[in-house]
């Protein structure tokens, strides 16, 4: 297969960026999308040209590092799939594919397709935890948690923090990301003590980072590689209202 | 230099408690005066940094990824062991200890392993308190499963994402400390050198991967938790940024490297599909609970699997190991797959695969049950291979997965450089020649939450160091050293891709220093590696500059270190003429082809001292003594 690529190149955070044309030759259907880019890069490198910068690490859909917008869709065309798990058999010979970075005010471009998502870390730091020091825990089986509650918490905890939800949202809202963490912890007995301070602190932090608000577009849910449902946002909103009322 | 493991006296079950009492404490009010540098934010690094922050130390914590939450630990699937005995099935601290020493083929240090088994129970308590959603039974109690051939159910798990959930738990604790300003986080930083002042580890040089600047950090002690070196084989199940750089550069500064030849190969990975392959994907070995491994009986039988009748299939694990069958340990399963492929009975286009067949399990249990148990794994397999394992057998093949070797540490997890401590997969300590499934997560968290918070205090209290700044000559020299390497890489300007050279190194390592090693193959590799290193330094192409994000430069630095380290790994493999665990020397096997140890000659930890690139390193031996578990020939017949 041969593909025409239009790839976003940007030298640094303040430099102007633009789409540049590349071709990917002898693409095998068994390649992952990132392996296709590896091959393009290897071609550039042997010619002494600057390789296209893009992030990835685990390449199996769990670390949340990879972050490409393909033809306008965060993580590309396959539902419930990170771009590192997307395979080239999904594309047709001769197709033109556009590759861009996450775009959001709170995720500034570092270089080419690489963005800075440290705002997510600061949101977690603001309250996305249970305050327990090492050594202070009781026996694990003293805390009983019904299986369905635990399963629901796990569904939300499955978030990989990739930021596709933000990239897909026209408001660049971090609500799906935040609500996944808030749901995970507020469903569990361990998370009850800090339930209200957590939701308030995290939402305040997101506001100060420049993430937008939620207007129920549902784009976040559609691109989430872990298929985290938007019902988490409704739960977060309830938690937030309760927190305000309890003040 | 004589290696002193500093194992405390007394009966094994009391050593750690006594030691905790004997160790010096740092006065709570003084803790914030100490700066501890922690490199790595995987399970070991994040748990250590968070715990030290909680205690009041001033912690500086570094990682390569853009967020600490993305460390390679996130990818662990199967589970974490702990001797809770919640299932009332006969487990105990002693049994977990025993299984780990035996599973490690009697090449680990008993006292460390016993402590690990003891601490395993605290880990589960800690993680549950953090909100880790481990699987539950209907009554609300924690669920367990048996893993990797263990005879008891002691593995805790969170679906197929145990590593993710444990790491997120540790990360959240870490971020809480970051918010409290006890921990300062430095993401997108790569450690390029260790700074040693007056014989003690006092700091590190890191490259800021975004600005390209070399930054200097000074502290009272340094902790490395930088993971394993599996990617020396190019293809492995490790994340692609995994590297040996931090460990290797510390090794060059005096930290001995122990048992580098002990590498683990995982039997159930998705086979290689072509030269473009950048990593291999692990399929949880849970699959072997219900899948049956087979190859055709006849060589070169290229019929599709459904056309091969029962009587022409060789279920070789069930045939050779009637009592363990498909559940034999990882090394045994892997070697047998290689043997089948070597005999020309491998399947798939490349012939480098064997079948893992669920047909019988689907017939017995129904597709719904199989889906409930393995749905996500089947889906992942389907995504990668475009084949449906409900209909056709999976194709699997072994791949490099974990490295038992690492920097040598004593009982306090301190290396041979005073003040430099090493945790998690980066150290060599607990798994001997073979790690049991679900025990790496346990070790990383034991080291970080429950060992280092005690032993670092003892070190700091006993080793007052003078105040220095990063203007000290040792910092200048180390920064210059890192700078020189960067300049050198950028000026070669050859015409070979970095990946191409890494791939070639991987091929040498896999073919000659892989699952089955011989005197001849190892000597061949010892010829080939320095040649490839030459080729690299003459012909590699590293485009771009050093003053911004340059992933080619990062990658080239890691490959350069692997080209040196590979030689040490191979030399260690050549030196150890016995087979043990994951290290299989063809010359040392039982008449029926099992790994045969040589306890008379090799019951020691091989700790290597660096003597210069290409120069023969010096071997130091830490003899291993077994007072509790008596070495026997492993048998899974
Ligand atoms: C696919 C897979 C599945 C697994 N499943 C299981 C399982 O089910 N159960 C189990 O017990 N074990 C499992 N393991 C093994 C286990 O995941 C690892 O051994 C363990 O997570 C290692 O943790 P760590 O903290 O030592 O290192 P890592 O998690 O590898 O973390 C290393 C850290 O060091 C940083 N770092 C590295 N080099 C540098 C440098 N030069 N400068 C700065 N920072 C650096 C990285 O950024 C990272 O933060 C699995 C492994 C794999 C590959
Ligand atoms: S690289 Fe880890 S999720 Fe894609």
């Amino acid at each position: 297969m041969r593909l025409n690529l239009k790839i976003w190149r940007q030298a640094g955070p303040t430099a102007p960026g633009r789409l540049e044309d590349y071709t990917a030759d002898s693409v095998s259907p068994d390649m992952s999308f990132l392996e296709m880019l590896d091959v393009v890069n290897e071609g550039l490198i042997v010619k002494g040209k600057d390789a296209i910068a893009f992030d990835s690490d685990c390449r199996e859909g769990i670390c949340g590092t990879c972050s490409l917008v393909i033809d306008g869709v965060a993580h590309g065309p396959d539902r419930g799939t990170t771009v590192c798990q997307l395979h080239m058999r999904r594309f047709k010979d001769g197709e033109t594919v556009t590759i861009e970075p996450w775009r959001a005010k709170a995720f500034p471009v570092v270089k080419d397709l690489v963005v800075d998502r440290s705002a997510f870390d600061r949101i977690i730091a603001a309250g996305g935890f249970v305050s327990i020091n090492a050594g202070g825990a009781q026996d694990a089986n003293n805390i009983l948690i019904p299986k369905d509650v635990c399963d629901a918490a796990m569904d939300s905890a499955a978030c990989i923090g990739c930021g596709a939800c933000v990239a897909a949202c026209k408001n660049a809202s971090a609500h799906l990301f935040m609500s996944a963490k808030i749901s995970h912890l507020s469903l569990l007995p361990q998370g009850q003590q800090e339930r209200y301070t957590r939701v308030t602190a995290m939402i305040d932090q997101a506001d100060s980072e420049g993430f937008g608000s939620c207007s129920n577009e549902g784009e976040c849910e559609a691109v989430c590689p872990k298929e985290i449902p938007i019902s988490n946002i409704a739960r977060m909103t309830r938690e937030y209202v309760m927190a305000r009322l309890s003040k | 230099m004589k290696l002193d493991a500093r194992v405390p006296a007394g009966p094994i079950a009391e050593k750690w408690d006594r030691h905790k009492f004997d160790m010096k404490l740092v006065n709570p009010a003084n803790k914030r005066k100490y700066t501890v540098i922690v490199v790595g934010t995987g399970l070991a690094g994040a748990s250590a940094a968070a715990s030290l922050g909680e205690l009041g130390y001033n912690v500086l914590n570094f990682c390569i990824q853009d967020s600490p939450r993305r460390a390679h630990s996130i990818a662990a699937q199967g589970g974490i062991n702990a001797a809770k005995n919640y299932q009332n099935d006969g487990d105990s601290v002693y049994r977990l200890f025993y299984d780990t020493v035996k599973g490690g083929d009697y090449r680990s240090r008993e006292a460390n392993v016993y402590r690990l088994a003891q601490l395993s129970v605290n880990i589960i308590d800690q993680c549950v308190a953090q909100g880790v959603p481990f699987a539950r039974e209907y009554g609300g109690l924690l669920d367990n499963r048996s893993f990797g051939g263990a005879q008891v159910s002691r593995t805790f798990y969170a679906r197929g994402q145990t590593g993710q959930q444990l790491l997120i738990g540790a990360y959240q604790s870490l971020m809480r400390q970051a918010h409290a300003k006890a921990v300062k986080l430095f993401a997108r930083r790569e450690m390029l050198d260790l700074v040693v002042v007056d014989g003690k580890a006092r700091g590190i040089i890191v490259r800021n991967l975004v600005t390209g600047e070399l930054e200097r950090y000074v502290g009272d002690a340094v902790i490395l938790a930088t993971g394993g070196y599996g990617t020396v084989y190019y293809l492995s199940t490790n994340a692609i940024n995994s590297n040996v750089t931090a460990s290797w550069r510390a090794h060059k500064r005096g930290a001995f490297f122990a048992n580098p030849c002990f590498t683990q190969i995982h039997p159930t990975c998705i086979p290689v599909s072509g030269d473009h392959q950048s990593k291999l994907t692990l399929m949880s070995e849970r699959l072997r609970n219900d899948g049956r491994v087979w190859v055709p009986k006849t060589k070169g039988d290229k019929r599709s699997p459904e056309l091969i009748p029962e009587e022409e299939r060789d279920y070789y694990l069930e045939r050779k190991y009637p009592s363990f069958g498909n559940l034999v340990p990882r090394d045994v399963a892997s070697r047998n797959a290689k043997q089948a492929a070597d005999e020309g009975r491998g399947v798939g286009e490349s012939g480098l695969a064997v079948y893992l067949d669920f047909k019988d399990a689907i017939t017995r249990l129904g597709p719904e049950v199989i889906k409930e148990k393995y749905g996500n794994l089947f889906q992942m397999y389907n995504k990668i291979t475009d084949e449906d394992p409900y209909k056709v057998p999976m194709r699997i093949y072994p791949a490099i997965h974990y490295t038992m070797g690492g920097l040598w540490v004593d009982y306090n997890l301190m290396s041979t450089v005073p003040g430099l401590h090493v945790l998690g997969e980066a150290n060599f300590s607990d798994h001997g020649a073979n790690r049991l499934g679900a025990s790496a997560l346990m070790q990383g968290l034991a080291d970080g939450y429950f060992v280092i918070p005690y032993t670092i205090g003892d070190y700091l209290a006993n080793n007052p160091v003078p105040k220095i700044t990063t203007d000290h000559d040792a910092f200048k020299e180390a920064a210059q050293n890192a700078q020189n390497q960067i300049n050198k890489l950028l000026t070669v300007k050859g015409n070979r891709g970095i990946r191409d050279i890494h791939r070639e190194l991987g091929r040498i390592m896999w073919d000659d220093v892989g699952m089955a090693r011989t005197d001849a193959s190892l000597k061949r590799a010892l010829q080939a590696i320095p040649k490839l290193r030459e080729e690299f330094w003459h012909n590699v192409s590293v485009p771009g500059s050093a003053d911004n994000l340059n992933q080619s430069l990062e990658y080239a630095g890691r490959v350069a270190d692997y080209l040196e380290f590979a030689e040490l790994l191979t030399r260690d493999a050549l030196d150890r003429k016995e087979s043990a665990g994951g290290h299989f020397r063809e010359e040392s096997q039982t008449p029926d082809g099992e790994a045969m140890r040589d306890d008379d000659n090799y019951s020691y930890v091989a700790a290597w001292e660096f003597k210069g690139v290409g120069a023969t390193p010096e071997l130091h031996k830490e003899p291993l003594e077994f007072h509790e578990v008596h070495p026997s020939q492993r048998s899974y017949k």
Side-chain angles (χ1 to χ4, degrees):
Chain A
M1 275 198 309
R2 181 191 170 96
L3 292 184
N4 304 310
L5 307 173
K6 291 189 174 304
I7 301 178
W8 185 262
R9 302 295 313 251
Q10 180 173 341
T14 53
R18 65 194 171 100
L19 287 170
E20 286 184 17
D21 291 321
Y22 296 86
T23 43
D25 291 315
S26 46
V27 175
S28 135
D30 289 332
M31 283 179 177
S32 72
F33 196 84
L34 301 186
E35 285 167 349
M36 182 274 294
L37 284 180
D38 287 343
V39 174
V40 172
N41 268 342
E42 217 174 342
L44 294 174
I45 289 172
V46 293
K47 289 192 206 119
K49 291 194 186 144
D50 229 357
I52 301 150
F54 67 92
D55 262 335
S56 76
D57 201 21
C58 74
R59 296 205 172 184
E60 48 186 75
I62 191 71
C63 72
T65 307
C66 60
S67 42
L68 301 178
V69 174
I70 298 171
D71 290 335
V73 182
H75 284 307
D78 280 359
R79 245 191 128 83
T81 305
T82 54
V83 64
C84 61
Q85 291 286 77
L86 175 66
H87 280 74
M88 295 315 292
R89 60 181 77 93
R90 194 68 174 68
F91 297 85
K92 283 193 283 299
D93 189 31
E95 211 173 317
T96 299
V97 181
T98 308
I99 309 170
E100 294 169 276
W102 279 181
R103 294 198 191 278
K105 185 168 145 226
F107 290 164
V109 170
V110 174
K111 185 178 178 180
D112 298 341
L113 303 167
V114 175
V115 299
D116 176 356
R117 288 170 288 192
S118 54
F120 269 12
D121 290 327
R122 292 187 291 273
I123 291 177
I124 297 296
F129 48 75
V130 173
S131 294
I132 166 89
N133 287 357
Q138 58 177 324
D139 186 89
N141 256 349
N142 284 347
I143 308 173
L144 294 181
I145 306 174
K147 185 175 183 320
D148 55 334
V149 172
C150 185
D151 285 347
M154 180 64 211
D155 288 341
S156 301
C159 167
I160 58 174
C162 63
C165 46
V166 175
C169 175
K170 73 175 173 60
N171 308 323
S173 162
H175 271 49
L176 191 62
F177 166 74
M178 277 192 289
S179 67
K181 185 47 60 197
I182 282 160
S183 295
H184 161 209
L185 294 176
S186 69
L187 282 165
L188 294 174
Q190 301 93 306
Q192 295 311 307
Q193 314 305 324
E194 295 160 290
R195 187 168 168 182
Y196 297 139
T197 47
R198 175 182 309 120
V199 66
T200 316
M202 287 175 71
I203 290 182
D204 288 351
Q205 184 67 34
D207 288 345
S208 73
E209 296 286 352
F211 290 104
S213 54
C214 171
S215 51
N216 278 312
E217 309 294 321
E219 297 292 342
C220 50
E221 180 186 75
V223 298
C224 176
K226 298 295 139 182
E227 305 185 299
I228 307 248
I230 199 167
S231 54
N232 283 281
I233 298 184
R235 187 184 289 108
M236 179 172 80
T237 309
R238 274 197 312 275
E239 294 284 319
Y240 189 66
V241 171
M242 299 274 281
R244 299 313 281 259
L245 290 177
S246 72
K247 263 202 184 148
Chain B
M1 175 177 179
K2 200 175 145 5
L3 287 171
D4 180 2
R6 295 193 180 81
V7 173
I12 193 139
E14 290 168 26
K15 283 182 195 292
W16 178 236
D17 275 347
R18 285 194 192 188
H19 192 54
K20 281 202 285 190
F21 181 72
D22 290 339
M23 280 187 286
K24 268 198 176 172
L25 300 174
V26 177
N27 178 316
N30 281 338
K31 287 201 176 98
R32 68 186 165 77
K33 294 183 193 153
Y34 289 105
T35 296
V36 182
I37 290 172
V38 181
V39 190
T41 60
L43 286 179
S47 59
S51 306
L52 296 177
E54 288 161 8
L55 286 171
Y57 293 106
N58 179 31
V59 180
L60 311 180
N61 191 195
F62 300 81
C63 70
I64 287 183
Q65 291 81 5
D66 69 328
S67 163
R69 68 179 288 155
R70 306 200 202 285
H72 163 61
S73 294
I74 200 99
Q77 303 171 352
I80 177 167
N81 288 330
K84 280 286 196 187
N85 193 29
Y86 282 158
Q87 305 305 324
N88 199 28
D89 60 355
D91 201 11
S92 62
V93 166
Y94 201 90
R95 187 176 295 282
L96 176 55
F97 155 69
Y98 178 93
D99 287 353
T100 308
V101 172
K102 177 181 176 219
D105 220 359
Y106 309 95
R107 290 294 173 263
S108 50
R109 196 188 282 146
E110 276 191 338
N112 284 56
V113 178
Y114 193 89
R115 174 179 64 189
L116 176 64
Q118 279 177 307
L119 295 176
S120 68
V121 300
N122 304 98
I123 295 171
I124 302 305
D125 298 343
Q126 171 67 15
C127 296
V128 167
Q130 288 170 338
V132 170
F134 283 126
R136 302 258 162 185
E137 294 168 354
Y138 284 100
L141 294 169
L142 288 156
D143 190 22
N144 291 115
R145 60 187 173 207
S146 140
F147 195 77
Q151 313 273 22
V152 292
S153 291
R154 61 160 76 101
T155 304
F156 294 77
Y157 64 100
R159 294 204 185 132
Q161 292 122 274
T162 314
Q164 179 199 26
Q165 294 308 314
L166 295 173
L167 184 61
I168 296 298
Y171 159 76
Q172 288 172 188
S173 290
L174 177 64
M175 296 318 291
R176 171 173 164 247
Q177 291 310 308
H179 198 61
K181 304 221 162 22
V183 176
K184 233 175 141 184
L185 275 169
F186 300 88
R188 290 202 197 268
R189 301 296 203 290
E190 179 158 21
M191 171 177 156
L192 294 183
D193 211 346
L194 176 75
V195 182
V196 181
V197 176
D198 299 331
K200 289 182 177 143
R202 291 302 305 276
I204 57 172
I205 306 295
V206 302
R207 180 163 180 269
N208 179 325
L209 300 180
V210 175
T211 65
E213 253 167 276
L214 289 181
E215 301 170 345
R216 310 171 183 188
Y217 296 92
V218 61
D220 298 280
V222 177
I223 296 172
L224 289 193
T226 47
Y229 50 83
T231 46
V232 66
Y233 287 83
Y234 182 60
L235 289 179
S236 79
T237 61
N238 290 11
I240 56 164
N241 294 310
S242 301
N243 65 85
V244 79
T245 290
S247 296
W248 187 246
R249 309 251 171 131
H251 175 61
K252 288 176 146 182
R253 293 281 177 192
F256 291 3
F257 215 111
N259 299 336
C261 80
F262 289 160
T263 53
Q264 183 170 75
I265 291 176
H266 196 290
T268 51
C269 300
I270 300 178
V272 178
S273 70
D275 244 7
H276 57 259
Q277 191 106 21
S278 57
K279 74 154 284 177
L280 295 169
T281 302
L282 172 84
M283 304 293 294
S284 170
E285 71 187 322
R286 265 192 305 132
L287 291 169
R288 289 197 277 142
N289 288 337
D290 286 302
R292 298 179 68 195
V293 176
W294 66 274
V295 291
K297 278 191 178 154
T298 10
K299 210 169 124 165
D301 186 342
K302 286 287 166 200
R303 286 176 292 174
S304 68
E306 68 280 5
L307 297 178
I308 302 180
E310 267 313 301
E311 62 279 8
E312 292 178 42
R313 299 175 176 194
D314 180 13
Y315 295 90
Y316 56 86
L317 291 178
E318 297 169 23
R319 170 171 59 82
K320 289 186 177 168
Y321 310 95
S323 61
F324 277 76
N326 294 297
L327 293 176
V328 291
R330 292 176 175 178
D331 53 329
V332 179
S334 298
R335 252 189 328 269
N336 277 281
K338 177 182 169 6
Q339 202 181 351
D342 287 350
E343 289 162 8
R345 300 194 295 144
V347 302
E349 217 165 287
S350 64
L352 293 175
V354 299
Y355 289 127
L356 180 65
D357 199 336
F358 291 88
K359 191 157 159 265
D360 291 349
I362 292 173
T363 315
R364 187 172 41 150
L365 305 165
E368 276 315 304
V369 176
I370 294 297
K371 187 167 176 205
E372 163 88 1
K373 279 176 132 171
Y374 308 116
N376 61 338
L377 293 167
F378 277 35
Q379 198 192 356
M380 177 161 92
Y381 182 83
N382 175 257
K383 233 178 233 174
I384 295 175
T385 62
D386 209 21
E387 290 175 1
D388 179 0
Y390 294 98
K391 299 204 179 101
V392 291
M394 282 183 178
R395 285 172 297 112
I396 55 163
Y397 204 59
I400 290 285
H401 176 57
Y402 181 86
T403 54
M404 281 75 67
L407 293 178
W408 184 89
V409 289
D410 64 14
Y411 187 76
N412 294 324
L413 304 182
M414 191 164 85
S415 72
T416 50
V417 176
L420 177 70
H421 296 71
V422 191
L423 320 183
E425 193 172 338
N427 75 24
F428 89 103
S429 72
D430 298 348
H431 307 293
N434 176 52
R435 173 179 69 81
L436 294 181
S439 285
L441 304 182
M442 167 173 78
Q443 182 225 332
L445 290 179
D447 289 358
Y449 284 134
F450 301 114
V451 179
I452 199 71
Y454 292 88
T455 59
I456 201 89
D458 186 52
Y459 171 78
L460 294 170
N462 281 312
N463 291 276
V465 286
K467 270 244 159 313
I468 53 167
T469 69
T470 53
D471 293 329
H472 190 283
D473 281 347
F475 276 89
K476 284 189 194 147
E477 188 267 329
Q480 194 55 51
N481 182 39
Q483 187 64 54
N484 293 346
Q485 162 114 336
I486 290 170
N487 296 346
K488 210 170 134 195
L489 286 167
L490 288 170
T491 46
V492 180
K493 293 196 186 301
N495 52 27
R496 243 185 111 175
I498 309 155
R499 187 174 295 276
D500 191 36
I501 296 181
H502 191 188
R503 200 184 287 122
E504 184 174 335
L505 175 66
R507 218 167 277 140
I508 296 169
M509 297 305 286
W510 181 248
D511 289 346
D512 286 341
V513 200
M515 272 188 280
R517 303 159 173 179
T518 66
D519 186 74
S521 77
L522 295 166
K523 286 182 174 150
R524 199 160 52 229
L526 280 180
Q527 296 282 319
I529 297 162
K531 264 200 211 123
L532 187 62
R533 193 164 61 226
E534 277 276 309
E535 159 78 1
F536 176 89
W537 285 111
H538 280 103
N539 210 10
V540 73
S541 170
V542 185
S545 60
D547 61 358
N548 65 20
L549 180 74
N550 185 344
Q551 293 169 328
S552 309
L553 177 63
E554 295 167 27
Y555 185 34
R558 292 170 202 154
V559 174
D561 288 337
Y562 272 139
L563 285 164
E564 295 177 8
F565 168 72
E567 205 175 330
L568 180 70
L569 193 166
T570 309
R571 202 176 287 281
D572 184 45
L574 182 63
D575 202 70
R576 193 171 283 276
K577 294 190 173 54
E578 64 163 354
S579 296
H583 170 65
F584 188 72
R585 284 288 301 260
E586 283 186 12
E587 301 89 344
S588 181
Q589 49 182 308
T590 63
D592 39 3
E594 300 306 327
M596 195 171 69
R597 286 195 326 272
D598 174 359
D599 290 334
D600 292 340
N601 293 303
Y602 293 98
S603 188
Y604 61 76
V605 176
W608 297 91
E609 182 179 0
F610 183 74
K611 291 286 177 189
V613 177
T616 312
E618 186 178 340
L619 175 62
H620 302 262
K621 296 178 184 175
E622 178 198 337
L624 290 168
E625 286 160 24
F626 294 90
H627 300 290
E628 299 289 328
V629 187
H630 292 290
S632 60
Q633 178 68 39
R634 283 194 316 168
S635 169
Y636 294 94
K637 287 278 166 192

